[in-house]
């Protein structure tokens, strides 16, 4: 039985995205995935439609962890008989909100890791629930909900604290975190990116560098227990002596979201390269510099160009 799904994905730099993956897992005849431009063709050949479906969903989720959003299914058929796309969208978190699609980072670029061993490990971890005395299923689904279209209008602080809870849970479950040390657990996840660069970005937003890490834990506790914390991210936003605005929460969300995805991939044995981690931090620091029109120079070529144009425009206005 052959199941085929065609997905639509966002436009990426081709040599960062285009990829062909093929293998023959146990219990199946063949799995073939071809990503080209803005299309992903996925074919799973097995002996039963339900088993094929479950395998497709597992691969689809693995691609989400690696690319940062659910590809949009646009065609689905089984043995040349077309199926309703709604069969794949039965869970509304499989539709990612456009604002998170546009900001999503390719953590593995065109070296995505989809193998029988990784899929088996993912399925073993992913679906453990209360029956198995585990909260993995809820934890993984919560992340997908967090970036879903269904959450499009959710307050950013609520979104951020849920992300912090997921970081907390992942650290405790897989990285020897402690239920008594929320700040430490969040820091375990954050360490998958450059914590020094994270502090630099926080400093650009008016959050003291020395307090930037603790601010995450304080924010988590403040929003969870509704107890004001002097050095939470929100306390900086409300401080009239700083120029910080809600970008500080958005910056924290972007960084932790990428760090969490890298951590999940690490659990599965997938290593994100230092080059890509550096790119992620540069991208977010450049974003701050551009949004706040700072004098500090951008790093990434396109951002350098944008910054140069902005500076020329400001100089032209000043001479009028």
């Amino acid at each position: 039985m052959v199941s085929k799904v065609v997905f639509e994905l966002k436009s990426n730099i081709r040599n960062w995205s285009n990829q062909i993956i093929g293998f023959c897992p146990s219990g199946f005849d063949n799995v073939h995935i071809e990503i080209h431009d803005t299309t992903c063709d996925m074919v799973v050949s097995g002996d039963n439609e339900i088993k094929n479906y479950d395998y497709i969903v597992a691969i689809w989720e693995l691609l989400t962890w690696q690319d940062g959003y659910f590809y949009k299914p646009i065609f689905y058929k089984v043995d040349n008989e077309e199926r309703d796309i709604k069969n794949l969208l039965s869970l509304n978190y499989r539709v990612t909100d456009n604002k998170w699609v546009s900001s999503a980072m390719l953590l593995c670029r065109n070296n995505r890791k989809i193998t029988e061993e990784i899929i088996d490990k993912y399925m073993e971890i992913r679906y453990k629930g209360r029956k198995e005395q585990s909260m993995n299923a809820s934890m993984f689904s919560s992340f997908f909900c967090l970036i879903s279209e269904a959450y499009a209008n959710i307050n950013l602080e609520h979104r951020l604290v849920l992300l912090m809870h997921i970081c907390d849970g992942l650290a405790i479950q897989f990285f020897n975190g402690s239920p008594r040390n929320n700040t430490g657990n969040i820091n375990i996840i954050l360490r998958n990116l450059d914590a020094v660069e994270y502090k630099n970005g926080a400093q650009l937003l008016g959050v003291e560098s020395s307090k930037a890490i603790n601010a995450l834990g304080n924010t988590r506790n403040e929003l969870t227990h509704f107890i004001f914390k002097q050095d939470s991210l929100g306390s900086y936003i409300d401080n009239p002596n700083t120029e910080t605005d809600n970008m500080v929460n958005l910056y924290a969300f972007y960084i932790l979201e990428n760090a969490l995805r890298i951590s999940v991939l690490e659990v599965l044995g997938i290593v994100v390269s230092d080059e890509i981690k550096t790119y992620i931090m540069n991208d977010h620091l450049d974003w701050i510099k551009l949004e706040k029109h700072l004098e500090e120079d951008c790093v990434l070529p396109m951002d350098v160009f944008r910054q140069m144009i902005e500076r020329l425009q400001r100089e032209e206005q000043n001479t009028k």
Side-chain angles (χ1 to χ4, degrees), residues 80-296:
N80 294 316
E81 183 178 324
E82 192 168 347
R83 295 284 190 267
D84 194 330
I85 293 297
K86 291 180 181 178
N87 292 333
L88 291 166
L89 300 175
S90 55
L91 298 172
N92 61 5
Y93 63 59
R94 291 177 185 161
V95 180
T96 305
D97 184 11
N98 282 334
K99 64 175 169 287
W100 305 116
V101 174
S102 63
S103 65
M105 292 281 186
L106 303 180
L107 294 184
C108 299
R109 295 185 180 170
N110 63 347
N111 194 28
R112 299 171 184 87
K113 305 296 184 184
I114 306 289
T115 67
E116 178 181 1
E117 293 74 20
I118 288 171
I119 295 169
D120 287 347
K121 186 169 185 178
Y122 181 72
M123 294 178 80
E124 178 188 354
I125 293 169
R126 163 70 171 100
Y127 299 111
K128 284 185 177 178
R130 287 187 172 87
K131 183 179 178 182
E132 294 79 22
Q133 299 183 349
S134 172
M135 294 298 292
N136 284 1
S138 295
M139 180 167 60
F140 280 60
S141 294
S142 291
F143 174 76
F144 297 142
C145 287
L146 200 56
I147 60 171
S148 71
E149 190 176 78
Y151 256 56
N153 297 316
I154 296 298
N155 175 277
L156 181 57
E157 282 194 335
H158 176 77
R159 194 188 297 271
L160 179 59
V161 75
L162 179 54
L163 177 60
M164 289 177 170
H165 282 300
I166 299 168
C167 290
D168 221 357
L170 194 77
I172 293 167
Q173 182 67 23
F174 296 105
F175 296 102
N176 299 314
S178 168
R180 298 180 180 179
N181 188 357
N182 299 326
T183 301
N185 293 336
I186 292 169
N187 195 28
I188 287 171
I189 302 303
L190 179 63
R191 282 202 300 264
N192 272 302
L193 288 171
D194 190 327
V196 173
E197 286 296 290
Y198 161 72
K199 291 179 183 179
N200 290 339
Q203 185 77 49
L204 292 175
L205 288 167
V207 179
E208 295 174 56
S209 177
S210 62
K211 297 180 179 180
I213 301 265
N214 286 337
L216 294 174
N218 287 334
T219 300
R220 189 264 193 206
N221 290 329
E222 181 179 72
L223 297 177
T224 299
H225 304 295
F226 296 101
I227 300 172
F228 175 77
K229 296 291 183 180
Q230 184 64 47
D231 291 315
S232 69
L233 295 176
S235 69
Y236 285 95
I237 294 170
D238 293 331
N239 186 343
N241 297 319
T242 72
E243 295 181 356
T244 309
D245 54 24
N246 206 40
M247 279 180 65
V248 70
N249 278 337
L250 201 53
Y251 172 65
F253 187 92
Y254 283 146
I255 297 300
L256 283 177
E257 184 257 352
N258 282 290
L260 177 73
R261 287 169 51 212
I262 292 170
S263 300
V264 169
L265 296 180
E266 182 181 330
V267 170
L268 300 171
I270 301 171
V271 177
V272 176
S273 73
D274 288 341
E275 177 192 355
I276 292 173
K277 291 179 182 180
T278 299
Y279 179 88
I280 289 169
M281 295 309 302
N282 285 337
D283 181 80
H284 288 102
L285 265 63
D286 281 0
W287 168 70
I288 294 171
K289 295 167 192 174
L290 289 167
E291 287 294 314
K292 297 190 78 65
H293 310 292
L294 302 178
E295 289 305 313
E296 188 169 337

Side-chain angles (χ1 to χ4, degrees), residues 2-119:
V2 180
S3 301
K4 178 177 181 178
V5 183
V6 178
F7 297 95
E8 181 180 86
L9 55 150
K10 74 173 186 176
S11 178
N12 295 298
I13 299 171
R14 289 182 183 180
N15 61 352
W16 281 9
S17 183
N18 290 356
Q19 185 178 358
I20 296 175
I21 302 168
F23 56 99
C24 299
S26 176
F28 294 87
D29 297 325
N30 182 52
V31 170
H32 182 81
I33 305 163
E34 185 166 348
I35 296 170
H36 182 75
D37 292 344
T38 58
T39 302
C40 171
D41 291 340
M42 187 187 305
V43 178
V44 175
S45 302
D47 56 14
N48 124 21
E49 182 177 349
I50 295 175
K51 191 176 174 182
N52 285 3
Y53 177 92
D54 290 342
Y55 218 66
I56 286 168
V57 168
I59 294 171
W60 192 15
E61 289 193 0
L62 280 167
L63 289 168
T64 301
W65 288 110
Q66 295 182 57
D67 279 23
Y69 65 99
F70 276 97
Y71 296 173
K72 179 183 178 181
I74 55 176
F75 180 74
Y76 177 32
K77 71 176 182 180
V78 179
D79 281 350
N80 294 316
E81 183 178 324
E82 192 168 347
R83 295 284 190 267
D84 194 330
I85 293 297
K86 291 180 181 178
N87 292 333
L88 291 166
L89 300 175
S90 55
L91 298 172
N92 61 5
Y93 63 59
R94 291 177 185 161
V95 180
T96 305
D97 184 11
N98 282 334
K99 64 175 169 287
W100 305 116
V101 174
S102 63
S103 65
M105 292 281 186
L106 303 180
L107 294 184
C108 299
R109 295 185 180 170
N110 63 347
N111 194 28
R112 299 171 184 87
K113 305 296 184 184
I114 306 289
T115 67
E116 178 181 1
E117 293 74 20
I118 288 171
I119 295 169

